[in-house]
Amino acid sequence: MTTPSFPSRLPNVGTTIFAVMSALAAERGAVNLGQGFPDFACDPALVDAVSRAMQDGHNQYPPMPGVPALRAAVASKIEALHARRYCANSEITITAGATQAILTAVLACVQPGDEVIVLEPCYDCYVPAIEMAGATVVRVPLTPGSFRPDFDQIAAALSPRTRLLILNTPHNPSATIWSQQEMLHLQELLAPTGVLLISDEVYEHMVFDGRQHESAARFDGLAERSFIVSSFGKTLHVTGWKVGAVAAPAALTAEFRKVHQFNVFTVNTPMQHGIAQYLQNPAPYLQLAGFYQAKRDLFRQGLEGSRLRLLPSNGSYFQCVDYSAISDLPEMQFCEWLVHEAGVAAIPVSAFYGDGFDQRTVRFCFAKQDETLRTALERLRRL
């Protein structure tokens, strides 16, 4: 039997670094601080709410844009936090996680021949989505070391063919957050253009030390051109449920839903009803920053005095470290060495760059039980 061959839509894409490192961690029995998911349970009240939804008969197709109660809850949350009112009927869509939301937004607005700006290091789903839309990826590096935006380089990358820019704050992998001044600078830069924005805000409730998450929804000139992406998986500790949301002006949402209805149609019904019920109490997401800040502080304090140099961690549930005092291995080889010799899995930051730019920096995830973190810290302090 001979299987016909065909040109690959993504010839440069292989298995993701997250799957590779998780498999290696499992094989070696290492503490997995690589892939970004919790190793602890969600609130039992959330599971109960989903179970009740199933028992109440919410098991058939919901409306294509999402369960009305959940869309209303998302709109109310955005208004309470960012003082912008989105219409639940025409401007909020429930998605099968943030990755589907980002792909759908790209396919909805990008045409072959368009250019899309990504700010590197960037999450690994951005570039394949752009390539599947037939567009050209324009890579603009964030400032090495600090991971702050370089607006001169962003301005230089804008062209008449630029259709879209993808922003991520709080940022994966660097754990930086954009300031109000930086958001205003981006707003000013895009004002004379027709460039659209995907604002990937999946770590929106994980901002530390009294800082504020500067959502694109807070800025008129950004909100009017933005698909704002959120993730209930990240916020509620249920990454495997794959439920997210997109807020966008009605005209953008109309185009988004044209694609959404054909690449996923709609999203798990009882989970939507359960999440809608659970979100009636805002305390869990309002307390999330404090919850993860305690884990960040435990992790950072545990590495004080070690040979791993801590970079700032202002948001998300990641901590990057510079390991150059320990090894001159490239990042990927260092991560492999770390699994074998220390029994801890990390992610090379170079995996988030198209050219594999190497800064001797790796990313750890601290969304783990304190016991898990202490075990990893004990191993890392020996390096």
Side-chain angles (χ1 to χ4, degrees), residues 324-339:
S324 55
I326 295 173
S327 173
D328 60 1
L329 286 171
E331 290 173 10
M332 185 61 202
Q333 281 113 331
F334 178 79
C335 286
E336 293 170 343
W337 176 87
L338 194 65
V339 169

Side-chain angles (χ1 to χ4, degrees), residues 20 47 70 87 370:
V20 169
V47 176
L70 184 52
C87 174
D370 289 358

Side-chain angles (χ1 to χ4, degrees), residues 131-167:
E131 291 176 344
M132 283 191 284
T136 299
V137 179
V138 178
R139 304 173 188 269
V140 176
L142 297 166
T143 304
S146 70
F147 301 101
R148 307 311 313 179
D150 183 330
F151 287 102
D152 289 339
Q153 290 207 50
I154 296 173
L158 290 169
S159 83
R161 292 184 299 278
T162 306
R163 172 65 59 207
L164 179 69
L165 184 149
I166 304 181
L167 165 68

Side-chain angles (χ1 to χ4, degrees), residues 297-319:
D297 292 348
L298 169 66
F299 194 69
R300 290 178 67 88
Q301 289 163 10
L303 289 180
E304 286 179 1
S306 76
R307 292 197 292 163
L308 295 169
R309 182 173 66 84
L310 294 160
L311 277 62
S313 175
N314 296 326
S316 79
Y317 47 47
F318 301 117
Q319 173 66 62

Side-chain angles (χ1 to χ4, degrees), residues 119 142-143 146-152 154 165 167-171 174-191 197 199 211-216 219 221-222 314:
L119 306 177
L142 297 166
T143 304
S146 70
F147 301 101
R148 307 311 313 179
D150 183 330
F151 287 102
D152 289 339
I154 296 173
L165 184 149
L167 165 68
N168 177 211
T169 182
H171 184 244
S174 74
T176 57
I177 60 172
W178 280 43
S179 68
Q180 181 186 57
Q181 182 179 5
E182 287 167 337
M183 297 295 282
L184 287 169
H185 197 156
L186 181 64
Q187 177 175 256
E188 180 182 4
L189 192 62
L190 297 183
L197 183 69
S199 188
R211 294 177 175 87
Q212 177 175 270
H213 167 53
E214 298 293 348
S215 172
F219 304 88
L222 295 179
N314 296 326

Side-chain angles (χ1 to χ4, degrees), residues 214-231:
E214 298 293 348
S215 172
R218 303 179 70 88
F219 304 88
D220 290 347
L222 295 179
E224 67 186 9
R225 66 180 71 234
S226 290
F227 300 92
I228 299 175
V229 178
S230 298
S231 166

Side-chain angles (χ1 to χ4, degrees), residues 20 24 32 54 58 80 110 118 144 190 222 225 237 289 306 316:
V20 169
L24 184 58
N32 188 357
M54 292 181 185
H58 296 298
V110 171
V118 298
L190 297 183
L222 295 179
R225 66 180 71 234
H237 314 311
S306 76
S316 79

